[in-house]
Amino acid sequence: MQFFTTLLLLVVPCVIAAPGDTIGIRHPDYQCSVASQLALIEGECTTASGAMSINFTGITNCDLHRTEDCSDTPDHRTLQQGCQTFMPGDEVYRALKCAPQA
């Protein structure tokens, strides 16, 4: 399974989110077109379970992890607002932890 092929952001004004705030919505398809209530919460380790894309609310910094508990050394990505897509090979990532860019 490809991991979070598309990372999507909700189209809302870009504000600094506090830990625990929703910074995106995860979707079960690759184009952020299927309705979803799976929130991406700032600072939480989130697994790929049930989501193939994320709609981000703003520019977001994410650490991508190969472990489901985010305990390994992550790879870093800066993702733009809206629906984003990872490249082939990203299916090795099992979880991510994100925060809005300051």
Side-chain angles (χ1 to χ4, degrees):
M1 176 177 110
Q2 287 188 335
F3 178 79
F4 287 107
T5 297
T6 306
L7 295 180
L8 304 176
L9 298 173
L10 296 174
V11 180
V12 296
C14 184
V15 295
I16 300 298
D21 285 352
T22 298
I23 58 174
I25 299 296
R26 302 180 300 143
H27 296 270
D29 66 328
Y30 291 104
Q31 299 174 344
C32 302
S33 60
V34 175
S36 176
Q37 297 298 317
L38 298 171
L40 178 65
I41 306 298
E42 178 181 0
E44 282 188 9
C45 181
T46 304
T47 65
S49 178
M52 302 308 286
S53 61
I54 300 174
N55 189 9
F56 289 99
T57 59
I59 298 173
T60 305
N61 295 316
C62 290
D63 290 330
L64 309 175
H65 296 269
R66 288 176 172 81
T67 60
E68 289 188 0
D69 64 355
C70 298
S71 63
D72 63 324
T73 301
D75 292 328
H76 178 77
R77 298 266 174 96
T78 298
L79 301 162
Q80 298 299 312
Q81 179 176 354
C83 194
Q84 303 298 317
T85 303
F86 282 125
M87 304 305 287
D90 285 339
E91 60 272 4
V92 300
Y93 300 114
R94 310 301 289 164
L96 76 164
K97 188 182 287 189
C98 300
Q101 189 174 59

